[in-house]
Coordinates of all heavy atoms in Angstrom, one line a residue:
P163 N -5.5 -4.7 23.6 CA -6.1 -3.4 23.6 C -5.4 -2.6 22.5 O -4.3 -2.9 22.0 CB -5.8 -2.8 25.0 CG -4.7 -3.6 25.5 CD -4.8 -5.0 24.9
E164 N -6.1 -1.5 22.1 CA -5.6 -0.6 21.1 C -4.2 -0.1 21.4 O -3.3 0.0 20.5 CB -6.5 0.6 20.9 CG -6.0 1.5 19.7 CD -7.0 2.7 19.5 OE1 -8.1 2.7 20.1 OE2 -6.7 3.5 18.7
H165 N -3.9 0.3 22.7 CA -2.6 0.6 23.1 C -2.2 -0.2 24.3 O -2.6 0.1 25.4 CB -2.6 2.1 23.5 CG -2.8 3.1 22.4 ND1 -1.9 3.3 21.4 CD2 -3.9 3.8 22.1 CE1 -2.4 4.1 20.5 NE2 -3.6 4.5 20.9
P166 N -1.6 -1.4 24.1 CA -1.3 -2.3 25.2 C -0.4 -1.5 26.2 O 0.6 -0.9 25.9 CB -0.4 -3.4 24.5 CG -0.8 -3.3 23.1 CD -1.1 -1.9 22.8
P167 N -0.9 -1.4 27.5 CA -0.2 -0.6 28.5 C 1.2 -1.1 28.7 O 1.5 -2.3 28.6 CB -1.0 -0.8 29.7 CG -1.8 -2.1 29.5 CD -2.0 -2.1 28.0
L168 N 2.1 -0.2 29.0 CA 3.5 -0.6 29.3 C 3.6 -1.4 30.6 O 2.9 -1.2 31.5 CB 4.4 0.7 29.5 CG 4.6 1.5 28.2 CD1 5.2 2.8 28.7 CD2 5.5 0.8 27.3
T169 N 4.5 -2.4 30.5 CA 4.8 -3.1 31.8 C 5.6 -2.2 32.6 O 6.2 -1.2 32.2 CB 5.7 -4.4 31.5 OG1 6.9 -4.0 30.9 CG2 4.9 -5.3 30.5
E170 N 5.8 -2.5 33.9 CA 6.5 -1.7 34.8 C 8.0 -1.6 34.4 O 8.6 -0.6 34.4 CB 6.5 -2.3 36.2 CG 7.2 -1.5 37.3 CD 7.1 -2.1 38.7 OE1 6.2 -3.0 38.9 OE2 7.8 -1.7 39.6
Q171 N 8.5 -2.7 33.8 CA 9.9 -2.7 33.4 C 10.1 -1.9 32.1 O 11.1 -1.2 31.9 CB 10.4 -4.1 33.2 CG 10.5 -4.9 34.5 CD 10.7 -6.4 34.3 OE1 10.1 -6.9 33.3 NE2 11.4 -7.0 35.2
A172 N 9.1 -1.9 31.2 CA 9.2 -1.1 30.0 C 9.1 0.4 30.3 O 9.8 1.2 29.7 CB 8.1 -1.5 29.0
Q173 N 8.2 0.7 31.3 CA 8.2 2.1 31.7 C 9.5 2.5 32.3 O 10.0 3.6 32.1 CB 7.0 2.3 32.7 CG 6.8 3.7 33.2 CD 6.5 4.7 32.0 OE1 5.3 4.6 31.6 NE2 7.4 5.5 31.6
G174 N 10.1 1.6 33.1 CA 11.4 1.9 33.7 C 12.5 2.1 32.7 O 13.3 3.0 32.8
A175 N 12.4 1.4 31.6 CA 13.4 1.5 30.5 C 13.2 2.9 29.8 O 14.3 3.6 29.5 CB 13.2 0.4 29.4
L176 N 12.0 3.4 29.6 CA 11.8 4.7 29.0 C 12.3 5.8 30.0 O 12.9 6.8 29.6 CB 10.4 4.9 28.6 CG 9.8 4.0 27.5 CD1 8.4 4.4 27.2 CD2 10.7 4.1 26.3
D177 N 12.0 5.6 31.3 CA 12.4 6.6 32.3 C 13.9 6.6 32.4 O 14.5 7.7 32.5 CB 11.8 6.3 33.6 CG 10.3 6.6 33.7 OD1 9.8 7.4 32.8 OD2 9.6 6.1 34.5
R178 N 14.5 5.5 32.3 CA 16.0 5.4 32.3 C 16.6 6.1 31.1 O 17.7 6.7 31.2 CB 16.5 4.0 32.4 CG 18.0 3.8 32.6 CD 18.5 4.5 33.8 NE 18.0 3.8 35.0 CZ 18.7 2.8 35.6 NH1 19.8 2.4 35.1 NH2 18.2 2.3 36.7
A179 N 15.9 5.9 29.9 CA 16.4 6.6 28.7 C 16.5 8.1 28.9 O 17.4 8.8 28.5 CB 15.5 6.2 27.6
I180 N 15.4 8.6 29.6 CA 15.4 10.1 29.9 C 16.5 10.4 30.8 O 17.2 11.4 30.7 CB 14.0 10.5 30.5 CG1 12.9 10.2 29.4 CG2 14.0 11.9 30.9 CD1 11.5 10.4 30.0
E181 N 16.7 9.6 31.9 CA 17.7 9.9 32.9 C 19.1 9.9 32.2 O 20.0 10.8 32.5 CB 17.7 8.8 33.9 CG 16.5 8.9 34.9 CD 16.5 7.8 35.9 OE1 17.4 6.9 35.8 OE2 15.6 7.8 36.8
E182 N 19.4 9.0 31.3 CA 20.7 8.9 30.6 C 20.9 10.1 29.8 O 22.0 10.7 29.8 CB 20.7 7.6 29.8 CG 20.9 6.3 30.5 CD 22.2 6.2 31.3 OE1 23.2 6.7 30.8 OE2 22.1 5.7 32.4
K183 N 19.9 10.6 29.2 CA 20.0 11.8 28.3 C 20.3 13.0 29.2 O 21.2 13.9 29.0 CB 18.7 12.0 27.5 CG 18.8 13.3 26.6 CD 19.9 13.2 25.7 CE 20.0 14.4 24.8 NZ 21.2 14.4 23.9
L184 N 19.5 13.2 30.3 CA 19.7 14.3 31.2 C 21.1 14.3 31.9 O 21.7 15.3 32.1 CB 18.6 14.3 32.3 CG 17.2 14.6 31.7 CD1 16.1 14.4 32.9 CD2 17.0 16.0 31.1
K185 N 21.5 13.1 32.2 CA 22.8 12.9 32.9 C 24.0 13.3 32.0 O 25.0 13.8 32.4 CB 23.0 11.5 33.4 CG 24.2 11.2 34.2 CD 24.1 9.8 34.8 CE 24.1 8.7 33.8 NZ 24.2 7.4 34.4
S186 N 23.8 13.1 30.7 CA 24.9 13.4 29.7 C 25.1 14.9 29.6 O 26.2 15.3 29.3 CB 24.5 12.8 28.4 OG 23.5 13.5 27.7
G187 N 24.0 15.7 29.8 CA 24.2 17.1 29.8 C 24.3 17.6 28.3 O 24.5 18.9 28.1
D188 N 24.2 16.8 27.4 CA 24.3 17.2 26.0 C 22.9 17.7 25.5 O 21.9 17.4 25.9 CB 24.7 16.0 25.1 CG 26.1 15.5 25.5 OD1 26.9 16.3 25.8 OD2 26.2 14.2 25.5
S189 N 23.0 18.6 24.5 CA 21.8 19.1 23.8 C 21.4 18.0 22.8 O 22.1 17.0 22.5 CB 22.1 20.4 23.1 OG 23.1 20.2 22.1
G190 N 20.2 18.2 22.3 CA 19.7 17.2 21.3 C 18.5 16.4 21.9 O 18.0 16.7 23.0
E191 N 18.2 15.4 21.2 CA 17.0 14.6 21.5 C 17.3 13.3 22.2 O 18.4 12.8 22.2 CB 16.2 14.3 20.2 CG 15.8 15.6 19.5 CD 15.2 15.3 18.1 OE1 15.8 14.5 17.4 OE2 14.1 15.9 17.8
I192 N 16.3 12.7 22.8 CA 16.3 11.4 23.3 C 16.2 10.4 22.2 O 15.2 10.5 21.4 CB 15.3 11.1 24.4 CG1 15.3 12.2 25.4 CG2 15.5 9.8 25.1 CD1 14.0 12.2 26.3
T193 N 17.1 9.5 22.0 CA 17.1 8.6 20.8 C 16.9 7.1 21.1 O 16.7 6.8 22.3 CB 18.5 8.7 20.1 OG1 19.5 8.1 21.0 CG2 18.9 10.2 19.9
T194 N 16.9 6.4 20.1 CA 16.7 4.9 20.3 C 17.9 4.3 21.0 O 17.8 3.3 21.6 CB 16.5 4.2 18.9 OG1 17.6 4.5 18.0 CG2 15.2 4.6 18.2
T195 N 19.0 5.0 20.9 CA 20.2 4.5 21.7 C 19.9 4.6 23.2 O 20.2 3.7 23.9 CB 21.4 5.4 21.3 OG1 21.8 5.2 20.0 CG2 22.6 5.0 22.2
H196 N 19.3 5.7 23.6 CA 18.9 5.8 25.0 C 17.9 4.7 25.4 O 17.9 4.2 26.5 CB 18.3 7.2 25.3 CG 19.3 8.3 25.0 ND1 19.3 9.1 23.9 CD2 20.4 8.7 25.8 CE1 20.3 10.0 24.0 NE2 21.0 9.8 25.1
I197 N 16.9 4.4 24.5 CA 15.9 3.4 24.8 C 16.6 2.0 24.9 O 16.3 1.3 25.8 CB 14.9 3.4 23.7 CG1 14.1 4.7 23.7 CG2 13.9 2.2 24.0 CD1 13.0 4.7 22.6
L198 N 17.6 1.7 24.0 CA 18.3 0.5 24.0 C 19.0 0.3 25.4 O 19.0 -0.7 26.0 CB 19.3 0.4 22.9 CG 20.2 -0.9 22.8 CD1 19.4 -2.1 22.8 CD2 21.1 -0.8 21.6
L199 N 19.7 1.4 25.8 CA 20.4 1.4 27.1 C 19.5 1.3 28.2 O 19.8 0.6 29.2 CB 21.3 2.6 27.2 CG 22.4 2.8 26.2 CD1 23.1 4.1 26.3 CD2 23.4 1.6 26.3

Side-chain angles (χ1 to χ4, degrees):
E164 182 178 354
H165 297 288
L168 290 169
T169 62
E170 182 177 347
Q171 291 165 328
Q173 183 62 74
L176 293 182
D177 287 339
R178 183 61 67 90
I180 298 171
E181 288 177 356
E182 288 295 322
K183 180 60 182 179
L184 293 174
K185 187 170 62 176
S186 71
D188 298 323
S189 60
E191 299 172 317
I192 309 169
T193 69
T194 55
T195 297
H196 296 105
I197 297 177
L198 176 59
L199 295 175

